[in-house]
Amino acid sequence: MKNLMNITDLAVEEIDELVAVAEDIIANPVKYRDKCRYKKLATLFFEPSTRTRLSFEAAMLELGGSVLGFSEANSSSAVKGESVADTARTVSCYADIIAMRHPKEGAPLVASMAASVPIINAGDGGHNHPTQTLTDLLTIKREKGRLNNLTIGFCGDLKFGRTVHSLIEAMARYTGIRVVLISPDELKLPGYLKKETLDAKGIEYLETTDLSAVMPELDILYMTRVQRERFFNEEDYLRLKDSYILTPAKLENAKSDLAILHPLPRVNEIHTSVDSDPRACYFRQVLNGKFIRMALILKLLEVE
Ligand code: NCD
């Protein structure tokens, strides 16, 4: 049995294969519509979600399977004091595969040690979000035609943004990658990622507070929301929340083939007038999230 806790649980070859399967699903949807007949996916979400939970459910439904689960901790026995391990062991009796989101870093890992079916980390606190990363990689592949030789700018909350952490861990394993980290001083990328991922893999990176200054260099601009729920006080959030607001004017000196990604939800960091720019990929990215999760479910359930 295989779980997905961290994007580095997958070899680069396995990621490339998932991307290829997702592209085949897009090209030949009918071929896949009964692949998971009689299989059940449980979504255990202890934290809010729109895209991640619904895309997992849509993915399983499109594979001919069924879904069950809960979308908030308050409607589960967690409020009675049940441990994540006991919940996972219980749900293993009902489902063939589990996607779990939790506000505590490491909770899905604890669940995976108690479960008897594969567990997918659907976001654990400010730590990791590997299936968003698979979504991002499929999007980059489809938009740019490659996953190497790219300059990627990450902008916004690089401290608490788990999607940033996982995508950096993934991109660091491709060749010709340059990383530009754009954030306020208080929301810089955690030191462990700089040391254990960027430095360890010899990835060239630059830290700056100035988005406009680096805009012309970027092939990908990965915008993120300031993660309000991870702040210790509201004043800091209010001071930092509008640090970066992408507008058409700010894109004037950007490359004509820039790809703008955002895991969503967006708050203020991309003005809605950017949405009609062909370089805005974030709603195409949403759709890719369903296809790559279909590919992942097939892999973890070992469906041919
Ligand atoms: C992200 C998350 O939950 O980390 N959302 C998502 O899954 N698409 C990003 C965010 O909440 O800002």
Side-chain angles (χ1 to χ4, degrees), residues 47-49 51-52 101 122-123 125 128-129 132 160-163 224-227 229-230 262-265 269 293:
E47 238 194 11
S49 169
R51 275 150 294 269
T52 304
R101 168 171 290 189
N128 274 326
H129 193 347
Q132 181 62 47
F160 296 117
R162 56 193 175 194
T163 64
T224 62
R225 167 181 76 92
V226 175
Q227 306 279 301
E229 64 275 40
R230 316 254 181 253
H262 191 309
L264 303 180
E269 59 280 355
R293 287 182 176 99

Side-chain angles (χ1 to χ4, degrees), residues 5 43-49 52 70-74 76-79 81-88 98-112 119-130 160 162 227 229-230:
M5 292 298 123
T43 50
L44 312 186
F45 276 57
F46 296 86
E47 238 194 11
S49 169
T52 304
F70 53 81
S71 55
E72 51 174 338
N74 282 340
S76 77
S77 282
V79 278
E82 185 167 55
S83 68
V84 155
D86 283 0
T87 302
I98 296 173
M100 176 183 283
R101 168 171 290 189
H102 202 285
K104 285 214 175 81
E105 287 81 3
L109 180 63
V110 171
S112 72
I119 300 247
I120 301 168
N121 176 7
D124 63 327
H127 184 217
N128 274 326
H129 193 347
F160 296 117
R162 56 193 175 194
Q227 306 279 301
E229 64 275 40
R230 316 254 181 253

Side-chain angles (χ1 to χ4, degrees), residues 192-262:
Y192 80 89
L193 281 162
K194 285 184 237 172
K195 212 168 134 216
E196 292 163 30
T197 300
L198 296 175
D199 290 340
K201 297 273 178 197
I203 302 288
E204 185 192 331
Y205 72 93
L206 164 85
E207 286 185 295
T208 178
T209 55
D210 188 350
L211 175 59
S212 297
V214 295
M215 188 70 89
E217 305 167 30
L218 306 179
D219 298 307
I220 313 270
L221 172 57
Y222 194 90
M223 293 296 296
T224 62
R225 167 181 76 92
V226 175
Q227 306 279 301
R228 179 182 207 157
E229 64 275 40
R230 316 254 181 253
F231 276 70
F232 293 108
N233 70 71
E234 184 74 1
E235 280 140 61
D236 286 347
Y237 169 72
L238 294 173
R239 186 166 48 79
L240 294 167
K241 73 182 173 78
D242 292 329
S243 299
Y244 300 97
I245 300 177
L246 190 64
T247 58
K250 289 188 186 154
L251 284 165
E252 259 164 30
N253 63 349
K255 287 189 180 171
S256 59
D257 63 347
L258 171 73
I260 306 165
L261 275 67
H262 191 309

Side-chain angles (χ1 to χ4, degrees), residues 2-288:
K2 198 161 174 186
N3 303 299
L4 180 64
M5 292 298 123
N6 189 307
I7 194 67
T8 52
D9 294 346
L10 295 168
V12 176
E13 297 71 33
E14 290 179 296
I15 292 179
D16 292 343
E17 195 192 312
L18 286 170
V19 168
V21 171
E23 288 179 319
D24 191 55
I25 292 170
I26 294 165
N28 307 292
V30 175
K31 201 167 108 186
Y32 292 88
R33 69 180 173 198
D34 286 321
K35 291 275 186 199
C36 286
R37 218 162 155 207
Y38 308 122
K39 299 279 187 200
K40 284 170 282 179
L41 163 84
T43 50
L44 312 186
F45 276 57
F46 296 86
E47 238 194 11
S49 169
T50 296
R51 275 150 294 269
T52 304
R53 186 173 61 85
L54 294 181
S55 66
F56 263 115
E57 297 191 358
M60 192 48 149
L61 294 172
E62 285 197 26
L63 291 167
S66 355
V67 297
L68 65 164
F70 53 81
S71 55
E72 51 174 338
N74 282 340
S75 65
S76 77
S77 282
V79 278
K80 300 180 185 173
E82 185 167 55
S83 68
V84 155
D86 283 0
T87 302
R89 194 165 169 181
T90 299
V91 178
S92 299
C93 301
Y94 310 140
D96 302 288
I97 186 164
I98 296 173
M100 176 183 283
R101 168 171 290 189
H102 202 285
K104 285 214 175 81
E105 287 81 3
L109 180 63
V110 171
S112 72
M113 294 191 273
S116 54
V117 299
I119 300 247
I120 301 168
N121 176 7
D124 63 327
H127 184 217
N128 274 326
H129 193 347
T131 64
Q132 181 62 47
T133 297
L134 292 172
T135 301
D136 302 338
L137 294 172
L138 175 60
T139 305
I140 294 170
K141 175 76 195 322
R142 294 187 77 196
E143 298 289 335
K144 306 294 299 180
R146 64 183 192 277
L147 289 168
N148 42 31
N149 302 323
L150 292 164
T151 297
I152 311 181
F154 292 89
C155 179
D157 187 346
L158 310 189
K159 180 177 181 187
F160 296 117
R162 56 193 175 194
T163 64
V164 170
H165 304 164
S166 291
L167 185 54
I168 285 179
E169 288 184 317
M171 292 308 313
R173 300 192 296 168
Y174 287 87
T175 54
I177 299 299
R178 260 191 82 227
V179 170
V180 184
L181 303 166
I182 309 137
S183 75
D185 282 333
E186 291 98 323
L187 298 178
K188 281 182 167 173
L189 190 76
Y192 80 89
L193 281 162
K194 285 184 237 172
K195 212 168 134 216
E196 292 163 30
T197 300
L198 296 175
D199 290 340
K201 297 273 178 197
I203 302 288
E204 185 192 331
Y205 72 93
L206 164 85
E207 286 185 295
T208 178
T209 55
D210 188 350
L211 175 59
S212 297
V214 295
M215 188 70 89
E217 305 167 30
L218 306 179
D219 298 307
I220 313 270
L221 172 57
Y222 194 90
M223 293 296 296
T224 62
R225 167 181 76 92
V226 175
Q227 306 279 301
R228 179 182 207 157
E229 64 275 40
R230 316 254 181 253
F231 276 70
F232 293 108
N233 70 71
E234 184 74 1
E235 280 140 61
D236 286 347
Y237 169 72
L238 294 173
R239 186 166 48 79
L240 294 167
K241 73 182 173 78
D242 292 329
S243 299
Y244 300 97
I245 300 177
L246 190 64
T247 58
K250 289 188 186 154
L251 284 165
E252 259 164 30
N253 63 349
K255 287 189 180 171
S256 59
D257 63 347
L258 171 73
I260 306 165
L261 275 67
H262 191 309
L264 303 180
R266 127 176 86 187
V267 187
N268 286 327
E269 59 280 355
I270 302 182
H271 193 270
T272 52
S273 56
V274 174
D275 297 358
S276 54
D277 189 308
R279 294 170 291 187
C281 304
Y282 29 93
F283 288 107
R284 296 195 287 277
Q285 193 179 353
V286 171
L287 183 60
N288 289 331

